[in-house]
Amino acid sequence: WMMLYIALHNWRYLKKNVLFVSMEMNPLSIAQRVTAMYAHVPYGQLKKSGFSSSTYKKFESSMLEFKAEEAKFYCVDGNLAVSVEEIYDLADLLECDLVDIDGAYLCRHPNARLDRFTRVAENVRIMKQATGDRCTLASWQFARSAVKGKSKDAKGQTSEKAGMEDIGMSDEIPQVSSIVLAMDQEDSVETLIQRRIRLLKGRGGEIGGFNINWGFDTMDFTQAVDAEEQKKMTAI
C-alpha cells in the first residue's frame, strides 16, 4: 500500500511518469488500489462493485480527472518483465522517471544457475546502476531473524526492533540503498488507525521515523500529525 501511495503521489503531484511492476499482484489489483486511492473511496467497495449512488458519482468524477492527468502511470505484471534488465528497458521505452518494484526479491536473473541469495545481490547492483537520474523504490521482506531470538515485552510483542541486518536475502540491499524504511509493527488496535514508519537508513544522516494514517474508508495513507505537532506547525 505504501509503495503505491508514494508512486501515486509522485505521479499526481510531481507529474512523474511511473512504472509500477509487481511480482506478487496482477495489474487489475494494482489498478483497483490506485484508483481507490485517487478517488478516496473504500477499496473493498470498489473491489466488490458495492458503491452507493453518491460514492459512485464521486468515483466517476475522479476517474475523469484521472484520465486527464498529464503524467502516465503504467501497471505491469511481473510475469511480463521478470528480470531487472527487462524492467528498466521498459522504463526507458515508456520514459518513466520513477520505477517501483513490488516484491523485488522475486525478480529473476539471466543466469538461472545462481542461487537465490546471489541472484538478489546481483539484481540489487543492476538496479543501482540502471536507476541513473530517476528514482527506484523496491519492497523487500525481513528475514526470520527479524523476530527470531528477539525479546518479548509484557504484552508478548517483540521489544527489540529489526534492523538492516534483518532484511532478507542479501546485505547488498541496505548497502546500496540511499534510504531504507521499515514498516514492521505487530498488529494491534492502534495499527488499525495509524502505523509507524521507521527510518533505518538515510544517506544524508536522517534518523527517526514518522506515523502514517491507515484509513481504508477514505484510502488515507498520508503522514499523521498529532495535536502537539499541529500546534508547532501553526506557530511557525
Side-chain angles (χ1 to χ4, degrees):
W1 286 105
M2 277 309 298
M3 288 271 290
L4 275 173
Y5 177 77
I6 295 172
L8 184 64
H9 185 279
N10 278 271
W11 168 74
R12 186 176 186 180
Y13 297 108
L14 301 182
K15 307 302 180 184
K16 302 291 186 181
N17 288 344
V18 172
L19 176 65
F20 192 98
V21 180
S22 179
M23 311 303 293
E24 300 178 314
M25 293 188 295
N26 60 56
L28 176 59
S29 296
I30 300 170
Q32 288 173 332
R33 296 183 184 204
V34 168
T35 52
M37 286 184 191
Y38 187 95
H40 295 292
V41 296
Y43 169 68
Q45 292 183 17
L46 170 61
K47 188 176 180 180
K48 297 178 182 179
S49 302
F51 287 150
S52 63
S53 297
S54 59
T55 304
Y56 180 76
K57 289 180 180 178
K58 177 184 176 183
F59 178 74
E60 185 179 33
S61 175
S62 295
M63 290 304 94
L64 292 175
E65 294 177 14
F66 190 103
K67 185 177 181 180
E69 291 284 355
E70 179 182 343
K72 304 297 182 182
F73 196 110
Y74 299 98
C75 301
V76 177
D77 189 336
N79 291 322
L80 301 178
V82 294
S83 73
V84 174
E85 291 94 336
E86 290 173 325
I87 291 173
Y88 284 94
D89 284 345
L90 186 58
D92 289 336
L93 179 65
L94 299 175
E95 299 181 343
C96 291
D97 307 299
L98 176 64
V99 176
D100 281 53
I101 307 176
D102 175 44
Y105 58 94
L106 294 173
C107 289
R108 299 179 188 174
H109 190 276
N111 186 353
R113 296 183 179 181
L114 296 179
D115 63 80
R116 58 178 179 169
F117 302 103
T118 306
R119 169 174 54 80
V120 169
E122 290 296 322
N123 280 339
V124 171
R125 296 189 191 105
I126 296 172
M127 288 166 60
K128 184 68 175 180
Q129 294 171 353
T131 293
D133 295 330
R134 58 185 151 224
C135 178
T136 294
L137 298 177
S139 67
W140 311 90
Q141 290 185 339
F142 279 114
R144 292 183 179 179
S145 60
V147 293
K148 187 178 181 181
K150 306 288 185 182
S151 62
K152 302 284 185 176
D153 60 18
K155 296 181 180 179
Q157 295 186 333
T158 304
S159 57
E160 294 181 58
K161 299 297 183 182
M164 291 191 291
E165 70 278 4
D166 294 308
I167 298 175
M169 297 294 187
S170 176
D171 291 335
E172 289 287 335
I173 298 168
Q175 288 175 7
V176 306
S177 299
S178 297
I179 298 174
V180 179
L181 300 174
M183 188 167 67
D184 57 353
Q185 278 179 293
E186 295 181 39
D187 291 337
S188 66
V189 175
E190 289 78 9
T191 59
L192 294 175
I193 302 172
Q194 289 187 5
R195 285 188 176 269
R196 182 70 177 173
I197 305 296
R198 294 192 299 121
L199 179 61
L200 301 187
K201 176 184 177 181
R203 186 140 291 175
E206 301 88 349
I207 59 173
F210 55 93
N211 292 330
I212 61 169
N213 294 307
W214 200 246
F216 285 84
D217 286 341
T218 57
M219 299 304 289
D220 179 14
F221 303 101
T222 56
Q223 182 174 347
V225 181
D226 60 31
E228 288 300 316
E229 287 182 281
Q230 188 65 50
K231 288 181 181 179
K232 293 178 182 178
M233 292 173 64
T234 302
I236 293 174

